[in-house]
Amino acid sequence: MNGKTIFRAGLAGLVLSAAGSAIAQDDPGLSWSYLEGGLSHIDVDGDGETGFNVRGAAQLAEHFYLHGAWDRWEVDTIFGDEDIDLIKLGLGFRTAVTATSDLFVEASYAELELLGASTDGLRTDVGVRAAFGDRIDGRVFGGVQTDAFDEFEGILGADVAFGLTDRLGLVLSAETYEFDAEIYRVNLRLSF
């Protein structure tokens, strides 16, 4: 089973779980069920490409949630235009630290596909998400990702979400892979 099939199955599960969470949501704190999408820009050693991304999460129980992400960029190669896909799908655990902040840990399957070849591995992230008033929340995280060659790569990231309405928001995010590759995203988010 390839990464795209796993991602599609996971995304379908996220949508169904998010719909269930929208009905069962009784936690007045941060929402861990959302769907979002928008522009994604990758910069690798000064060469940049803009594409799109889709992300989502669905709270399963008080402390657990599913999450998934897909970024796609088109790059010029000697073989013509080729797509780069970055896929992540996993399970998260979150617990309240204060009334307005959560500590989270995520374990994910991650895959990078380029020129018909792919490398996949495991990714682990640890971070804090906090609300800064009724309409702004953000998170910071650090993590590590392995690949098929058992090489480890450090990851740092942050994002901030601005609530436009109770359910619709604008999300700005940045992520770096050991400062060799940076990914910037501008998304619209629908929270449940």
Side-chain angles (χ1 to χ4, degrees), residues 93-111:
F93 171 83
R94 63 100 178 175
T95 187
V97 177
T98 69
T100 59
S101 63
D102 289 348
L103 173 70
F104 66 90
V105 178
E106 296 177 348
S108 312
Y109 163 83
E111 179 180 51

Side-chain angles (χ1 to χ4, degrees), residues 29-45:
L30 295 166
S31 171
W32 287 86
S33 293
Y34 61 86
L35 292 173
E36 69 179 60
L39 295 176
S40 177
H41 181 82
I42 187 169
D43 188 325
V44 180
D45 294 330

Side-chain angles (χ1 to χ4, degrees), residues 12-92:
L14 279 175
V15 170
L16 292 174
S17 296
S21 295
I23 296 167
Q25 184 74 22
D26 60 1
D27 182 2
L30 295 166
S31 171
W32 287 86
S33 293
Y34 61 86
L35 292 173
E36 69 179 60
L39 295 176
S40 177
H41 181 82
I42 187 169
D43 188 325
V44 180
D45 294 330
D47 289 330
E49 295 294 337
T50 300
F52 68 88
N53 76 102
V54 178
R55 319 181 84 62
Q59 189 162 332
L60 299 175
E62 182 180 354
H63 295 288
F64 293 94
Y65 60 95
L66 292 174
H67 66 92
W70 174 36
D71 289 87
R72 172 172 275 184
W73 306 278
E74 187 177 276
V75 296
D76 291 329
T77 69
I78 59 172
F79 306 108
D81 290 341
E82 295 289 339
D83 292 330
I84 299 175
D85 291 305
L86 180 62
I87 297 169
K88 182 176 83 161
L89 182 65
L91 179 68

Side-chain angles (χ1 to χ4, degrees), residues 176-189:
T176 182
Y177 289 74
E178 295 187 352
F179 303 100
D180 294 326
E182 287 82 31
I183 301 172
Y184 305 97
R185 300 178 183 98
V186 179
N187 289 346
L188 282 177
R189 174 183 288 178

Side-chain angles (χ1 to χ4, degrees), residues 85-159:
D85 291 305
L86 180 62
I87 297 169
K88 182 176 83 161
L89 182 65
L91 179 68
F93 171 83
R94 63 100 178 175
T95 187
V97 177
T98 69
T100 59
S101 63
D102 289 348
L103 173 70
F104 66 90
V105 178
E106 296 177 348
S108 312
Y109 163 83
E111 179 180 51
L112 177 67
E113 186 175 304
L114 172 64
L115 297 173
S118 65
T119 180
D120 61 355
L122 300 177
R123 175 173 167 169
T124 304
D125 294 300
V126 177
V128 175
R129 182 176 175 205
F132 305 102
D134 292 339
R135 300 271 189 192
I136 301 175
D137 76 82
R139 60 182 199 134
V140 294
F141 60 90
V144 64
Q145 182 169 321
T146 65
D147 62 20
F149 307 107
D150 291 328
E151 294 181 9
F152 290 88
E153 190 161 23
I155 300 166
L156 294 174
D159 55 49

